[in-house]
Amino acid sequence: MTHPAGGPVVHDAATLPSNDNVNPYAFSVDLEGQWFLQKGKMIAYYGQIDFHAIGHGPLDHLIAANFHSPLHASAWVVAQGRGKMLLADRAYDINSYDLDEGNLTIRSGNLLAFQPGLTLKQSIIPGFLTLLGTGKFVAASNGAVHFVEPPIRVDPQALVGWADCPSPCHHYDHAYMRGVLGGIRALTGLGGASGEEHQFEFSGAGQVLLQSTEQLMPEADTGGVPASAGPGVPGAQRPGSRS
Amino acid sequence: MAVFRLQGTRVLAVDLAGDAVKAKKGAMVAYDGEVTFKKMTGGGEGLRGLVTRRITGEAMAVMEVKGTGTVYFADRATEINLVRLTGEKLHVEASNLLVTEPSLRTGTTFTGLRGASQGNGLFTTTVEGAGQAAIMSDGPAIVLRVTPGTPLVVDPGAYVAHTGNLRQQLRSYVGLRTLIGEGSGESFRIHFEGDGLVYVQPSERSTIGGDV
């Protein structure tokens, strides 16, 4: 933020932006009704706002319609009321995006908040969440977000999410598998040359979101699904079985 | 008269012309000219200040920087914010205070439970007088105005400092649902009422109440 001669910019309830960024690291929600947000990302608010945990309570109906991830329920809350609310996350870059009858899949740790016009579902890819519908959502990234179009291969750690395109698959360089050393690597996972032999591959039409670092944000949940989901469901782990 | 200049947002340059500023110990990264650095015991507040800081645990490692030249300050690449005071009182955590002009007096004050919920102790540092102070925040601080009609609520982990005539009150939102594991993640909040400015950072310190 710039500091003009008269001192820093002072915001109040009226001058805070409405559903827009205050600076690259904080987002101001003009709340009138409800928003879903990740726990602990609210830094300040004006007005009357209540925070309801996801679970039993007065918002059962809303949650039944818009929140379909039991694993992440403990990490999310519903803000209800009226006022201006500031969101931020560890001084990371914050961006908001509009979806219009769209779908977008995003790493669970990067998603901060979304409007109830959107529906949150757990992706079949462990650690990712899918948003469907129309509305605004807010996401954090370590460094600015870049949009790229498939076909593209991306570093697993730089991937934030993707929209409108088929889910990615793993891609391994051929040399990674070849020869004696490659065999050892393939069998034991030891060694490795450049650290860039493994990528995620995207194909089809859509957009892929990348962050500017390969440093992952700590994630609250790995996004596995309950063991009862049974065989054939990615991420489901039966007790005693190896991954 | 010391002149404060921000170099970018994470380095503060202070031009000294024979006068002295108080700075966080070890925050100097470079200087030119003839400058001396002297440790000030007890925050440079005399014997009474020393004893108060010892008792309250609001320790402040301060050095006096004196001479002629330019001194550059920075601390762990945190953002630096300049605050100009004209007689009012600035409340700030000692760990967030980087540099103060000699015309400013520093002291300690009791904050009550807010400090306890932040894990910063029950006391906070005050800066009083007319002049400039530099405070640090994790990410650029956002300055929010509080007026009698528009009270402000702040997460204890994001609070950095405040000025003006504000009443603050820590409120707990722990209820039955918190006890059964359905906490809102925002169970402790500071309410500010009155007239003044509150500085918040776009990041949350880990606090005792933060996960409840």
Side-chain angles (χ1 to χ4, degrees):
Chain A
M1 201 154 83
T2 53
H3 295 264
V9 180
V10 176
H11 296 282
D12 61 32
T15 62
L16 273 177
S18 169
N19 291 337
D20 202 356
N21 275 58
V22 181
N23 63 27
Y25 313 101
F27 185 84
S28 168
V29 174
D30 193 353
L31 189 70
E32 189 155 354
Q34 291 116 357
W35 267 69
F36 284 87
L37 65 141
Q38 218 187 91
K39 255 186 202 181
K41 307 304 181 199
M42 180 279 290
I43 57 168
Y45 66 83
Y46 289 104
Q48 288 292 325
I49 299 178
D50 290 321
F51 296 88
H52 296 278
I54 290 184
H56 306 286
L59 297 171
D60 256 354
H61 184 71
L62 175 78
I63 290 159
N66 292 299
F67 198 89
H68 302 277
S69 175
L71 264 177
H72 295 90
S74 65
W76 285 80
V77 292
V78 180
Q80 186 182 32
R82 156 193 276 280
K84 290 270 180 72
M85 174 170 70
L86 290 180
L87 305 176
D89 185 15
R90 289 161 288 174
Y92 283 159
D93 284 54
I94 309 278
N95 285 294
S96 65
Y97 306 87
D98 287 301
L99 274 186
D100 184 15
E101 287 301 318
N103 77 78
L104 179 131
T105 305
I106 186 167
R107 201 179 282 276
S108 63
N110 290 66
L111 183 64
L112 286 196
F114 63 93
Q115 271 180 330
L118 293 166
T119 303
L120 180 84
K121 304 204 177 193
Q122 208 168 299
S123 169
I124 66 163
I125 313 225
F128 285 84
L129 295 168
T130 299
L131 288 169
L132 301 170
T134 304
K136 201 181 259 293
F137 69 95
V138 182
S141 61
N142 197 341
V145 165
H146 306 279
F147 290 83
V148 287
E149 284 187 9
I152 189 171
R153 294 188 186 135
V154 304
D155 189 281
Q157 283 83 40
L159 179 66
V160 172
W162 62 91
D164 301 329
C165 58
S167 294
C169 47
H170 292 276
H171 175 88
Y172 292 95
D173 283 356
H174 179 53
Y176 192 61
M177 303 293 187
R178 201 174 52 184
V180 178
L181 278 176
I184 293 171
R185 276 200 293 270
L187 284 172
T188 64
L190 294 174
S194 68
E196 304 284 8
E197 294 87 357
H198 171 213
Q199 300 103 29
F200 287 160
E201 182 171 307
F202 287 87
S203 56
Q207 292 214 303
V208 181
L209 282 67
L210 301 176
Q211 62 181 10
S212 321
T213 64
E214 298 193 359
Q215 194 185 337
L216 280 182
M217 326 219 330
E219 279 170 51
D221 275 297
T222 56
V225 296
S228 58
V233 179
Q237 288 213 346
R238 276 154 299 164
S241 70
R242 295 185 60 206
S243 51
Chain B
M1 183 69 185
V3 178
F4 285 35
R5 286 182 290 125
L6 277 175
Q7 304 266 309
T9 57
R10 298 176 183 200
V11 175
L12 175 73
V14 177
D15 297 325
L16 293 173
D19 47 356
V21 292
K22 271 198 251 179
K24 187 177 179 176
K25 203 169 142 232
M28 184 272 289
V29 290
Y31 74 94
D32 58 28
E34 286 296 318
V35 181
T36 57
F37 301 87
K38 198 175 89 189
K39 184 183 182 237
M40 295 173 100
T41 308
E45 291 153 18
L47 187 60
R48 188 154 172 270
L50 171 70
V51 173
T52 317
R53 286 200 180 268
R54 276 287 154 80
I55 294 172
T56 56
E58 180 75 6
M60 187 162 79
V62 176
M63 59 185 180
E64 186 193 45
V65 182
K66 192 174 185 178
T68 336
T70 304
V71 188
Y72 297 88
F73 296 99
D75 190 29
R76 287 170 295 138
T78 49
E79 298 282 331
I80 298 168
N81 310 274
L82 292 183
V83 182
R84 180 172 291 283
L85 294 176
T86 49
E88 71 263 45
K89 198 187 259 186
L90 170 77
H91 293 255
V92 60
E93 289 301 326
S95 54
N96 284 5
L97 187 60
L98 185 64
V99 186
T100 54
E101 268 193 280
S103 55
L104 296 172
R105 292 182 307 282
T106 55
T108 42
T109 186
F110 181 71
T111 59
L113 274 173
R114 175 179 68 72
S117 75
Q118 287 174 298
N120 284 335
L122 294 167
F123 293 83
T124 191
T125 294
T126 55
V127 182
E128 244 181 308
Q132 274 196 304
I135 57 176
M136 295 180 289
S137 57
D138 186 12
I142 299 164
V143 191
L144 297 170
R145 185 183 300 282
V146 180
T147 61
T150 55
L152 176 72
V153 186
V154 175
D155 189 294
Y159 166 84
V160 175
H162 74 265
T163 62
N165 181 22
L166 287 176
R167 285 181 309 283
Q168 53 173 315
Q169 193 182 10
L170 181 87
R171 290 197 199 155
S172 151
Y173 293 83
V174 177
L176 195 60
R177 295 181 66 196
T178 314
L179 299 178
I180 59 168
E182 292 186 357
S184 66
E186 313 287 1
S187 292
F188 293 95
R189 295 172 224 162
I190 319 170
H191 288 244
F192 285 97
E193 284 165 21
D195 217 337
L197 300 176
V198 180
Y199 292 72
V200 295
Q201 61 183 16
S203 167
E204 297 195 4
R205 287 181 291 267
S206 43
T207 58
I208 296 171
D211 294 327
V212 181

